[in-house]
Amino acid sequence: MASRLLKGHRFLRWVNERLPLEKAYKTHMSEYYAPRNFNFWYYFGILSMVVLFIQFVSGIWLTMQYTPDAEHAFDSIEYIMRDVSAGWFIRYMHEVGASFFFIVVYLHIFRGLLYGSYKEPRELLWLIGVAIYIVLMMEGFLGYMLPWGNMSYWGAKVVLSLIGAIPYIGESLQVWIQGDYQVSGVTLSRFFALHVTLIPILLIGLVFLHIIALHQVGSNNPEGIEIKLVKNKDGVPLDGIPFHPYYTVHDLIPIVVFLILFFGVIFYYPDGGGYFLEPPNFLPADNLSTPEHIAPVWYYTPFYAMLRAISFDFLGISAKFWGLVVMSGAIGLVAFLPWLDRSPAKSMRYKGWASRIMLALFTISFVTLGVLGAHPSDWMPFWMAPFFTLIYFAYFLGMPFYTSLENSKPVPQRISSGR
Ligand code: HEM
């Protein structure tokens, strides 16, 4: 099709001689052979890209009216919400978009765990994914501070005080990052600069690398079978179908369903019941009035619960620092999955019972920690946060043992399910 289009179009032919248009189209679309058995879990990569686009565009529009200084930030958000035409819509798109970004990315990561998509030869693709996740968390944190509401202010104070808990260098590092001895307008301006320039550039660059790495090794699938191992005489995988037109058309359905849900939430439930937009953030930042209960937005709460799970000083260093170590370890361990999993099978369909039970326990612990982190620490019995933190870590640290000891089923060479 690309060649036909080029034949009839002088300008495109001219560009193609100078930029590899046709080659890129073939490599990434019409001759990129994707497994024919993609299922529901394979929707969330493209949906992450849709949300990235929404955040990018709505962010540019918000930047046109937002004022990044402590005097005017809160009022400029009110101005966007009340006076700018369709300002409320653009702001809610960006705010609901942040939560939806994490929903689709968490489901996207879960698919990786379910089908062993991190295993060889996709280790680098996975590592780039982990980098995206970390950068996304930074972007969310910086963005949350910008409305300069009371939760923005106190949330930033709590997170930045964690840096201050690092022995020896912590306090100076915290002052260096804040740009002041306390969270102030200086902090706000620099967080704004990072939120709208460096971090989005990093994010887009990493997503680009993510796709290039994916297309280099090829997609995994629910069976965890490498389709590149069985090809016809033309070198086309027997269990593959061209990404375009098959998956481009196929992906339109989840995109439409997603957009209906997304706009439904924007129109009827934009604060997500206080989870997407927390009540104290409807009040301006006030350093004399601490919100009754400081909690981060829902997508950070599992890690916040882990932070609070450590309540004792150790080796003369504060509990806060050890909480930070546990929290960072919890995120860092995800990067090591390709080397922790020793199972000969990729997909849960062929792994043994131990892997299945551990994935179920991991999911339960992550969700429970999320609920615990969203509530005050005395809301549930004291043992719960440490207990579920231990389960979370057991999933990773026990993996080399339970994946090599369990009985997995032999993986077939060809895909049997799917259309
Ligand atoms: C902005 C965020 C992200 C975007 C836009 C994105 C985009 C995509 C797309 C379009 C695909 C191919 C379609 C699919 O398999 O669903 C994909 C595959 C993949 N992504 Fe992501 N991704 C993101 C974040 C992540 C994260 C955080 C991880 C892991 C920590 C990750 C790991 C993977 C893996 C392992 C695959 C291959 C899966 C397979 O073939 O089974 N991605 N990604």
Side-chain angles (χ1 to χ4, degrees):
M1 187 188 140
S3 326
R4 246 187 298 143
L5 200 72
L6 288 174
K7 246 183 230 153
H9 213 293
R10 269 183 66 190
F11 175 68
L12 282 183
R13 252 193 345 262
W14 183 88
V15 176
N16 191 50
E17 279 155 18
R18 288 153 181 86
L19 264 185
L21 278 190
E22 189 180 5
K23 197 169 151 213
Y25 173 80
K26 283 187 175 165
T27 316
H28 300 292
M29 302 292 278
S30 64
E31 289 176 18
Y32 176 68
Y33 296 97
R36 64 188 170 87
N37 62 336
F38 278 172
N39 60 8
F40 167 81
W41 292 106
Y42 279 77
Y43 290 152
F44 298 103
I46 188 69
L47 292 181
S48 308
M49 287 180 103
V50 170
V51 188
L52 180 65
F53 178 76
I54 292 175
Q55 291 306 83
F56 194 67
V57 175
S58 55
I60 292 174
W61 253 262
L62 283 177
T63 310
M64 293 177 193
Q65 311 288 348
Y66 170 77
T67 315
D69 73 63
E71 277 287 296
H72 303 104
F74 188 83
D75 292 343
S76 71
I77 296 284
E78 287 301 303
Y79 172 68
I80 291 171
M81 291 296 289
R82 291 161 201 268
D83 294 330
V84 174
S85 42
W88 64 271
F89 180 59
I90 293 165
R91 199 247 172 152
Y92 279 159
M93 231 191 313
H94 204 70
E95 170 258 322
V96 173
S99 278
F100 270 63
F101 213 155
F102 279 91
I103 294 174
V104 292
V105 165
Y106 279 136
L107 293 171
H108 186 64
I109 298 177
F110 181 75
R111 181 278 314 269
L113 305 181
L114 197 59
Y115 298 138
S117 300
Y118 47 79
K119 279 171 80 80
E120 194 193 349
R122 297 182 185 80
E123 303 95 321
L124 188 57
L125 168 64
W126 181 257
L127 290 179
I128 298 171
V130 175
I132 293 178
Y133 177 53
I134 294 171
V135 170
L136 195 61
M137 294 222 277
M138 287 163 65
E139 181 70 346
F141 167 65
L142 297 173
Y144 191 73
M145 192 171 170
L146 302 185
W148 206 236
N150 213 23
M151 195 60 118
S152 307
Y153 178 80
W154 286 94
K157 238 177 144 63
V158 169
V159 173
L160 290 165
S161 78
L162 293 179
I163 297 169
I166 301 172
Y168 307 113
I169 55 163
E171 280 177 29
S172 351
L173 192 63
Q174 183 184 351
V175 172
W176 183 70
I177 293 173
Q178 282 173 187
D180 201 340
Y181 291 101
Q182 55 178 327
V183 174
S184 72
V186 183
T187 325
L188 177 65
S189 312
R190 63 180 52 191
F191 278 17
F192 171 71
L194 295 172
H195 182 77
V196 301
T197 58
L198 181 70
I199 308 287
I201 292 172
L202 271 179
L203 204 54
I204 290 169
L206 284 168
V207 169
F208 177 76
L209 288 180
H210 193 60
I211 302 301
I212 300 291
L214 173 74
H215 286 195
Q216 173 71 9
V217 289
S219 302
N220 184 34
N221 57 77
E223 296 275 299
I225 294 171
E226 286 304 327
I227 61 163
K228 282 187 176 181
L229 297 179
V230 189
K231 293 181 174 172
N232 70 13
K233 60 179 176 12
D234 300 322
V236 176
L238 287 179
D239 281 325
I241 49 175
F243 186 77
H244 180 72
Y246 294 103
Y247 281 119
T248 41
V249 172
H250 177 264
D251 284 348
L252 288 177
I253 297 162
I255 292 175
V256 170
V257 173
F258 172 83
L259 290 178
I260 292 173
L261 263 173
F262 180 63
F263 287 111
V265 173
I266 289 177
F267 293 141
Y268 298 106
Y269 202 54
D271 67 348
Y275 284 100
F276 295 177
L277 205 60
E278 295 162 294
N281 243 24
F282 288 94
L283 300 169
D286 182 351
N287 63 355
L288 297 176
S289 150
T290 320
E292 199 178 325
H293 162 55
I294 303 179
V297 199
W298 69 268
Y299 36 83
Y300 302 119
T301 52
F303 302 106
Y304 188 56
M306 290 186 205
L307 174 80
R308 287 193 313 195
I310 311 296
S311 50
F312 50 87
D313 294 357
F314 183 56
L315 297 175
I317 303 174
S318 70
K320 207 190 238 183
F321 172 72
W322 294 115
L324 177 67
V325 171
V326 168
M327 198 174 90
S328 321
I331 300 169
L333 269 178
V334 181
F336 290 93
L337 269 180
W339 298 278
L340 293 173
D341 187 342
R342 304 270 166 83
S343 173
K346 286 195 180 81
S347 168
M348 240 358 121
R349 293 184 183 177
Y350 297 101
K351 280 183 169 172
W353 279 104
S355 288
R356 293 174 192 198
I357 292 169
M358 287 310 284
L359 180 61
L361 288 177
F362 167 79
T363 313
I364 293 169
S365 73
F366 193 72
V367 174
T368 312
L369 286 167
V371 175
L372 292 177
H375 291 87
S377 23
D378 56 4
W379 182 71
M380 274 225 167
F382 162 77
W383 58 267
M384 285 191 80
F387 175 74
F388 285 105
T389 304
L390 279 177
I391 295 186
Y392 178 99
F393 276 84
Y395 169 74
F396 292 98
L397 299 177
M399 194 178 269
F401 306 102
Y402 63 76
T403 50
S404 45
L405 292 175
E406 72 183 355
N407 288 323
S408 52
K409 290 187 222 155
V411 181
Q413 267 216 320
R414 295 285 310 273
I415 290 172
S416 53
S417 60
R419 283 129 293 167

Coordinates of all heavy atoms in Angstrom, one line a residue, residues 38 41-50 52 101 105 108-109 111-112 115-118 122 125-126 128-133 136 203 207 210-211 214-215 218-221 243 334, ligand 1:
F38 N -3.6 -12.0 20.4 CA -3.7 -10.9 21.4 C -5.1 -11.0 22.1 O -6.1 -11.2 21.4 CB -3.5 -9.6 20.8 CG -2.0 -9.2 20.6 CD1 -1.7 -8.1 19.9 CD2 -1.0 -10.0 21.1 CE1 -0.4 -7.7 19.7 CE2 0.3 -9.6 21.0 CZ 0.6 -8.5 20.2
W41 N -5.8 -8.1 27.6 CA -4.7 -7.5 28.3 C -3.7 -6.8 27.3 O -2.9 -6.0 27.8 CB -3.9 -8.6 29.0 CG -4.7 -9.2 30.1 CD1 -5.4 -10.4 30.2 CD2 -5.0 -8.5 31.4 NE1 -6.0 -10.5 31.3 CE2 -5.9 -9.4 32.1 CE3 -4.7 -7.3 31.9 CZ2 -6.4 -9.1 33.4 CZ3 -5.2 -7.0 33.2 CH2 -6.0 -7.8 33.9
Y42 N -3.9 -7.0 26.0 CA -3.0 -6.3 25.1 C -3.5 -5.0 24.6 O -3.0 -4.4 23.7 CB -2.7 -7.2 23.9 CG -1.6 -8.2 24.3 CD1 -1.8 -9.3 25.1 CD2 -0.2 -8.0 23.9 CE1 -0.8 -10.1 25.5 CE2 0.8 -8.8 24.4 CZ 0.5 -9.9 25.2 OH 1.5 -10.7 25.6
Y43 N -4.6 -4.5 25.3 CA -5.2 -3.2 24.9 C -4.4 -2.0 25.6 O -4.5 -0.9 25.2 CB -6.6 -3.1 25.3 CG -7.6 -4.0 24.5 CD1 -8.8 -4.4 25.1 CD2 -7.3 -4.3 23.2 CE1 -9.7 -5.2 24.4 CE2 -8.2 -5.1 22.5 CZ -9.4 -5.6 23.1 OH -10.2 -6.3 22.4
F44 N -3.8 -2.3 26.7 CA -3.4 -1.2 27.6 C -2.1 -0.5 27.2 O -1.8 0.6 27.6 CB -3.3 -1.7 29.1 CG -4.6 -2.2 29.5 CD1 -4.9 -3.5 29.6 CD2 -5.6 -1.3 29.8 CE1 -6.2 -4.0 30.0 CE2 -6.9 -1.7 30.1 CZ -7.2 -3.0 30.2
G45 N -1.3 -1.1 26.3 CA -0.2 -0.4 25.7 C -0.6 0.7 24.8 O -0.3 1.9 25.1
I46 N -1.5 0.4 23.9 CA -2.0 1.5 23.0 C -2.8 2.5 23.8 O -2.7 3.7 23.6 CB -2.9 0.9 21.8 CG1 -3.2 1.9 20.8 CG2 -4.1 0.2 22.3 CD1 -2.0 2.5 20.0
L47 N -3.6 2.0 24.8 CA -4.3 3.0 25.7 C -3.4 3.9 26.4 O -3.7 5.1 26.6 CB -5.3 2.3 26.6 CG -6.5 1.6 25.9 CD1 -7.4 0.9 26.9 CD2 -7.3 2.5 25.1
S48 N -2.2 3.4 26.9 CA -1.3 4.3 27.6 C -0.8 5.4 26.6 O -0.6 6.5 27.0 CB 0.0 3.5 28.0 OG -0.4 2.4 28.8
M49 N -0.7 5.0 25.3 CA -0.2 6.0 24.3 C -1.3 7.0 24.1 O -1.0 8.2 24.0 CB 0.1 5.3 23.0 CG 1.4 4.6 23.1 SD 1.8 3.8 21.6 CE 3.0 4.9 20.9
V50 N -2.6 6.6 24.1 CA -3.7 7.5 24.0 C -3.7 8.5 25.1 O -3.8 9.7 24.9 CB -5.1 6.8 23.9 CG1 -6.2 7.7 24.0 CG2 -5.1 5.9 22.6
L52 N -1.2 9.3 27.0 CA 0.0 10.2 26.9 C -0.3 11.4 26.0 O 0.0 12.5 26.3 CB 1.2 9.4 26.4 CG 2.5 10.1 26.2 CD1 3.0 10.6 27.6 CD2 3.6 9.2 25.6
F101 N -4.1 7.4 33.5 CA -2.7 7.0 33.0 C -2.2 5.8 33.9 O -1.8 4.8 33.4 CB -1.8 8.2 33.1 CG -0.7 8.2 32.1 CD1 -0.1 9.4 31.7 CD2 -0.3 7.0 31.4 CE1 0.9 9.5 30.7 CE2 0.7 7.1 30.5 CZ 1.3 8.3 30.1
V105 N -1.6 2.0 33.0 CA -0.2 1.5 33.1 C -0.1 0.3 34.1 O 0.6 -0.7 33.9 CB 0.8 2.6 33.5 CG1 2.1 2.1 34.0 CG2 1.0 3.5 32.2
H108 N -1.3 -2.6 32.3 CA -0.3 -3.0 31.3 C 0.9 -3.8 32.0 O 1.4 -4.8 31.5 CB 0.2 -1.7 30.7 CG 1.2 -1.8 29.6 ND1 0.9 -2.3 28.4 CD2 2.5 -1.3 29.5 CE1 1.9 -2.2 27.6 NE2 2.9 -1.6 28.2
I109 N 1.3 -3.3 33.2 CA 2.4 -4.0 33.9 C 1.9 -5.4 34.3 O 2.6 -6.4 34.2 CB 2.9 -3.2 35.1 CG1 3.4 -1.8 34.7 CG2 3.9 -4.0 35.9 CD1 3.9 -0.9 35.8
R111 N -0.2 -7.3 32.9 CA -0.2 -8.2 31.8 C 1.2 -8.8 31.6 O 1.4 -10.0 31.4 CB -0.6 -7.4 30.5 CG -0.6 -8.2 29.2 CD 0.7 -8.3 28.5 NE 1.5 -7.1 28.4 CZ 1.4 -6.3 27.4 NH1 0.6 -6.5 26.4 NH2 2.2 -5.2 27.4
G112 N 2.2 -7.9 31.8 CA 3.6 -8.4 31.8 C 3.9 -9.5 32.8 O 4.6 -10.5 32.5
Y115 N 1.9 -12.8 31.7 CA 2.4 -13.6 30.5 C 3.9 -13.6 30.4 O 4.5 -14.0 29.4 CB 1.8 -13.0 29.3 CG 0.3 -13.1 29.2 CD1 -0.5 -12.1 28.8 CD2 -0.3 -14.3 29.7 CE1 -1.9 -12.2 28.8 CE2 -1.7 -14.4 29.7 CZ -2.5 -13.3 29.2 OH -3.8 -13.4 29.2
G116 N 4.6 -13.2 31.5 CA 6.1 -13.3 31.5 C 6.7 -12.4 30.4 O 7.8 -12.8 29.9
S117 N 6.1 -11.3 30.1 CA 6.6 -10.5 29.0 C 8.0 -9.9 29.2 O 8.6 -9.3 28.3 CB 5.6 -9.4 28.6 OG 4.4 -9.9 28.3
Y118 N 8.4 -9.9 30.5 CA 9.7 -9.4 30.9 C 10.9 -10.3 30.6 O 12.0 -10.0 30.6 CB 9.8 -9.0 32.4 CG 9.2 -10.1 33.2 CD1 10.0 -11.2 33.6 CD2 7.9 -10.1 33.7 CE1 9.5 -12.3 34.3 CE2 7.4 -11.1 34.5 CZ 8.2 -12.2 34.8 OH 7.7 -13.3 35.6
R122 N 13.0 -10.0 26.1 CA 12.4 -8.6 26.3 C 12.9 -7.9 27.5 O 12.2 -7.1 28.1 CB 10.9 -8.8 26.3 CG 10.3 -9.3 25.0 CD 8.9 -9.5 24.9 NE 8.6 -10.1 23.6 CZ 8.7 -11.4 23.4 NH1 9.0 -12.3 24.4 NH2 8.5 -11.9 22.2
L125 N 13.3 -4.1 27.0 CA 12.0 -3.5 26.8 C 11.4 -3.3 28.2 O 10.8 -2.3 28.5 CB 11.2 -4.5 26.0 CG 9.7 -4.3 25.9 CD1 9.4 -3.0 25.2 CD2 9.0 -5.5 25.1
W126 N 11.5 -4.3 29.1 CA 11.0 -4.2 30.4 C 11.7 -3.1 31.2 O 11.0 -2.3 31.9 CB 11.2 -5.6 31.1 CG 10.6 -5.6 32.5 CD1 11.4 -5.6 33.7 CD2 9.3 -5.8 32.9 NE1 10.5 -5.7 34.7 CE2 9.2 -5.8 34.3 CE3 8.1 -5.9 32.2 CZ2 8.0 -5.9 35.0 CZ3 6.9 -5.9 32.9 CH2 6.9 -5.9 34.3
I128 N 13.1 -0.5 30.1 CA 12.7 0.8 29.6 C 11.3 1.1 30.2 O 11.0 2.2 30.6 CB 12.7 0.9 28.1 CG1 14.1 0.6 27.5 CG2 12.1 2.2 27.6 CD1 14.2 0.4 26.0
G129 N 10.5 0.0 30.3 CA 9.1 0.2 30.9 C 9.3 0.7 32.3 O 8.5 1.6 32.8
V130 N 10.2 0.1 33.1 CA 10.3 0.4 34.5 C 10.8 1.9 34.6 O 10.3 2.7 35.4 CB 11.3 -0.5 35.2 CG1 11.6 0.0 36.6 CG2 10.8 -1.9 35.2
A131 N 11.7 2.3 33.7 CA 12.1 3.7 33.7 C 10.9 4.6 33.4 O 10.8 5.7 34.0 CB 13.2 3.9 32.6
I132 N 10.1 4.2 32.4 CA 8.9 5.0 32.1 C 8.0 5.2 33.4 O 7.6 6.3 33.7 CB 8.0 4.3 31.0 CG1 8.8 4.3 29.7 CG2 6.7 5.0 30.9 CD1 8.0 3.6 28.6
Y133 N 7.9 4.1 34.1 CA 7.0 4.1 35.3 C 7.6 5.1 36.4 O 6.8 5.9 36.9 CB 6.9 2.7 35.9 CG 6.1 2.6 37.1 CD1 4.8 3.1 37.2 CD2 6.6 2.0 38.3 CE1 4.1 3.0 38.4 CE2 5.9 1.9 39.4 CZ 4.7 2.4 39.5 OH 3.9 2.3 40.7
L136 N 7.1 8.5 35.2 CA 5.7 8.9 35.3 C 5.3 9.3 36.7 O 4.6 10.2 36.9 CB 4.9 7.7 34.8 CG 3.4 7.9 34.5 CD1 3.3 8.9 33.3 CD2 2.8 6.6 34.1
L203 N 9.8 11.3 29.0 CA 8.7 10.3 28.9 C 8.5 10.0 27.4 O 8.5 8.8 27.1 CB 7.5 11.0 29.5 CG 6.4 10.0 30.0 CD1 6.9 9.0 31.0 CD2 5.3 10.8 30.6
V207 N 9.2 6.3 25.7 CA 8.1 5.6 25.0 C 8.6 5.2 23.6 O 8.3 4.1 23.1 CB 6.8 6.4 25.0 CG1 5.8 5.7 24.1 CG2 6.2 6.5 26.5
H210 N 10.8 2.4 23.9 CA 10.0 1.2 24.3 C 9.5 0.5 23.0 O 9.5 -0.7 22.9 CB 8.9 1.8 25.2 CG 8.1 0.8 25.9 ND1 8.7 0.0 26.9 CD2 6.8 0.5 26.0 CE1 7.7 -0.8 27.5 NE2 6.6 -0.5 26.9
I211 N 8.9 1.3 22.1 CA 8.3 0.7 20.9 C 9.4 0.2 20.0 O 9.2 -0.9 19.4 CB 7.5 1.8 20.2 CG1 6.4 2.4 21.1 CG2 6.8 1.2 18.9 CD1 5.4 1.4 21.7
L214 N 10.5 -3.0 21.4 CA 9.4 -4.0 21.2 C 9.5 -4.6 19.8 O 9.4 -5.8 19.6 CB 8.0 -3.4 21.5 CG 6.9 -4.3 21.2 CD1 6.7 -5.4 22.2 CD2 5.6 -3.5 21.1
H215 N 9.6 -3.7 18.8 CA 9.6 -4.1 17.4 C 10.9 -4.8 17.0 O 10.9 -5.6 16.0 CB 9.3 -2.9 16.5 CG 7.9 -2.5 16.6 ND1 7.2 -1.7 15.7 CD2 6.9 -2.9 17.5 CE1 6.0 -1.6 16.0 NE2 5.7 -2.3 17.1
G218 N 10.0 -8.3 18.9 CA 8.6 -8.8 18.6 C 7.8 -9.0 19.9 O 8.4 -9.1 21.0
S219 N 6.5 -9.0 19.7 CA 5.6 -9.0 20.9 C 5.5 -10.4 21.4 O 5.5 -11.4 20.7 CB 4.2 -8.6 20.4 OG 4.2 -7.3 19.9
N220 N 5.3 -10.5 22.7 CA 5.0 -11.7 23.4 C 3.5 -12.0 23.2 O 2.8 -11.2 22.5 CB 5.4 -11.6 24.9 CG 5.2 -12.9 25.7 OD1 5.3 -14.0 25.2 ND2 4.8 -12.7 26.9
N221 N 2.9 -13.0 23.8 CA 1.4 -13.2 23.6 C 0.9 -14.0 24.8 O 1.8 -14.5 25.6 CB 1.2 -13.9 22.3 CG 1.9 -15.2 22.2 OD1 1.6 -16.2 22.8 ND2 3.1 -15.1 21.5
F243 N 0.6 -6.0 11.7 CA 0.0 -5.1 12.6 C -1.0 -4.2 12.0 O -2.1 -4.0 12.5 CB 1.1 -4.3 13.3 CG 0.6 -3.4 14.4 CD1 0.3 -4.0 15.6 CD2 0.4 -2.1 14.2 CE1 -0.2 -3.2 16.7 CE2 -0.2 -1.3 15.2 CZ -0.4 -1.9 16.5
V334 N 11.2 -4.4 40.8 CA 10.4 -4.7 39.5 C 11.4 -4.9 38.4 O 11.2 -5.7 37.5 CB 9.4 -3.6 39.3 CG1 8.6 -3.9 38.0 CG2 8.5 -3.5 40.5
Ligands
HEM1 C1 3.7 5.7 29.0 C2 3.7 4.4 29.4 C3 3.7 3.3 28.4 C4 3.4 3.2 27.1 C5 2.8 4.3 26.2 C6 3.6 1.9 26.6 C7 3.3 1.4 25.3 C8 3.4 0.1 24.9 C9 2.8 -0.4 23.7 C10 2.1 0.4 22.7 C11 3.1 -1.8 23.7 C12 2.7 -2.8 22.6 C13 1.2 -3.1 22.8 C14 1.0 -4.0 24.0 O1 1.7 -5.0 24.1 O2 0.1 -3.7 24.9 C15 3.9 -2.1 24.9 C16 4.4 -3.3 25.2 C17 5.1 -3.6 26.4 N1 5.3 -2.8 27.4 FE1 4.7 -0.9 27.6 N2 4.1 1.1 27.7 C18 4.2 1.9 28.8 C19 4.7 1.6 30.0 C20 5.2 0.3 30.3 C21 5.7 -0.1 31.7 C22 5.6 0.8 32.9 C23 6.2 -1.4 31.5 C24 6.8 -2.3 32.6 C25 7.3 -1.9 33.7 C26 6.0 -1.8 30.2 C27 6.3 -3.0 29.7 C28 6.0 -3.5 28.4 C29 6.3 -4.8 27.9 C30 7.0 -5.9 28.6 C31 5.7 -4.9 26.6 C32 5.7 -6.2 25.7 C33 4.5 -7.0 26.1 C34 4.3 -8.2 25.3 O3 4.7 -8.2 24.1 O4 3.7 -9.1 25.9 N3 5.4 -0.8 29.5 N4 4.0 -0.9 25.6

